[in-house]
Amino acid sequence: MDLYIDLVVVLDIAKLILILNAAANYEPIVSLLPECVLKHYRFLRAAAPDLVPPIKVLEKSSTILNSAVPSTSKEQPATTSDILVNAYERLQEVIREPTLADRNALRRYIVEDANAISAFNEPLAGAARFIASLCEISSALESLTQVVLRGGGDITDAANTVHQELVRVRCAEYQFAGIPPQMASFLVEAGMFLSLLELLVEMTTSPERYAQIVLSIRGVIADAQNRWAMVGAPCDQALALISAILETLDCSQADGKKILSIGTFGHLLATHAPFIPDSFPDIGNIRSKWAQISEPNRDVAIEKPLRFVAGLPCAVRLVAFLHNLDENDLRNLRVQVDYPNNTRGYFRPPATDIPKEGDRISSLVLISSSEAWSDAADVTLTLVLLASSSSQKVVSVPLLDSPSGAQPSSVRLRAHPMTRT
């Protein structure tokens, strides 16, 4: 019996050594390890250094033994936050790769790592998903710059892609809480750059709309300046881009013969492309904004169609618990209603339907159809935040369905508007 127990212990130690070797070669694994494994790391390093290689993120921390003790602080232990810092440093180093394909390949690897951390480490899920968003935004900025400014693709298709990436930037801005000022400032800069890139495409394809495009350029810059006033000061490069564009526009206005040419506009954008900040302070404090819908019940809503008279509104009770939303988010909170004919509506909950704590919503959502349907069909209710500006179309940013999830907080119900009998 004792021999059997000894063999089991040896096998467990062997498995642990294999896991630690894997973590030494692929550091995101550290964030997935239970605290008991991290606790025994130093012992095994001291007892068998030839079998257990050093793990950089664990060697950096002098408080590894305390990581197994529950902390009352909101801050993450250094060992877990270091995983995110390491991922961000890898993202910064991507630019050293010689080709765009290589850089994008490395960004995809970082996204995969961040998604794995998000799926298995809930306290770091929000920050990990934010880093994944930064990877995708960085990739899009560089790829679109290549297409639009350097002629690396079809410019007519670029406009749609630019708009899609603008939506991605808005999601990064509004889907997360606790974003530090310099990172929030970068997102504003990225949104402004993409908007200007979109206007450059329009200037190229529709030069007859030059006057309207100039007004739109000024509007985009004004919107960015308003956003910076709220989230944090812009970087020097963003200020230089704004100054150069406005100076050219003002000179053109003073001298009617001069205009902001496509070449000049493109050159300014090419030489002032955004770069992610050098540092990412308080990286572990970022949290996802999410909501848990408890009513309508998902199973009942699908199985039991909601029948009502076409042309008349029908009220559906929606109850959800809200997490990490501030006062401004609550003002922008809407219930997005998607109908099977691809139409969409937004319902604004009355202020009285949200308590002062801002952690819950209980509201009657109105759905309707002007025509009767031959059969019941799906209607989707999604909790979203409206991101709007004076120069851009309104973008609906969905709340997530869990702190570590990537899906929108939504519920499908079966509806069947019928003729009056």
Side-chain angles (χ1 to χ4, degrees), residues 173-174 176-178 287 289 322-333 354 356-359 385 399:
E173 284 187 90
Y174 286 84
F176 301 94
R287 304 172 305 283
K289 297 176 184 178
L322 309 174
H323 301 269
N324 303 322
L325 272 65
D326 58 26
E327 291 183 6
N328 189 54
D329 293 328
L330 295 177
R331 285 192 292 269
N332 293 325
L333 182 65
I354 303 175
K356 292 182 179 180
E357 295 79 8
D359 59 352
L385 301 176
L399 297 179

Side-chain angles (χ1 to χ4, degrees), residues 206-221:
S206 306
E208 70 278 2
R209 299 193 69 254
Y210 175 80
Q212 292 87 345
I213 293 171
V214 167
L215 292 176
S216 297
I217 291 173
R218 292 185 182 275
V220 166
I221 292 174

Side-chain angles (χ1 to χ4, degrees), residues 304-383:
K304 187 178 180 181
L306 179 67
R307 293 181 172 86
F308 58 95
V309 177
L312 297 178
C314 177
V316 178
R317 172 68 64 180
L318 184 137
V319 179
F321 294 93
L322 309 174
H323 301 269
N324 303 322
L325 272 65
D326 58 26
E327 291 183 6
N328 189 54
D329 293 328
L330 295 177
R331 285 192 292 269
N332 293 325
L333 182 65
R334 301 289 187 274
V335 180
Q336 179 178 291
V337 185
D338 290 298
Y339 294 95
N341 60 353
N342 294 324
T343 60
R344 172 176 292 177
Y346 294 96
F347 175 80
R348 181 176 185 176
T352 53
D353 290 349
I354 303 175
K356 292 182 179 180
E357 295 79 8
D359 59 352
R360 186 173 181 270
I361 175 177
S362 177
S363 190
L364 290 174
V365 180
L366 300 181
I367 63 174
S368 63
S369 173
S370 59
E371 299 178 349
W373 300 348
S374 60
D375 199 358
D378 289 350
V379 174
T380 304
L381 307 181
T382 307
L383 285 168

Side-chain angles (χ1 to χ4, degrees), residues 109-189:
Y109 292 140
I110 298 172
V111 169
E112 291 174 1
D113 294 346
N115 288 338
I117 295 172
S118 176
F120 295 101
N121 194 322
E122 186 173 306
L124 298 181
R129 285 203 53 76
F130 185 79
I131 289 177
S133 296
L134 286 180
C135 288
E136 293 165 343
I137 291 169
S138 299
S139 177
L141 285 170
E142 189 173 9
S143 298
L144 287 170
T145 300
Q146 193 93 354
V147 171
V148 178
L149 302 180
R150 297 186 176 91
D154 188 352
I155 194 171
T156 56
D157 293 335
N160 291 331
T161 307
V162 170
H163 180 72
Q164 292 171 7
E165 296 307 324
L166 269 171
V167 172
R168 192 193 301 277
V169 172
R170 293 288 178 260
C171 287
E173 284 187 90
Y174 286 84
Q175 265 182 349
F176 301 94
I179 301 176
Q182 57 266 57
M183 199 57 65
S185 175
F186 164 75
L187 292 175
V188 174
E189 181 186 2

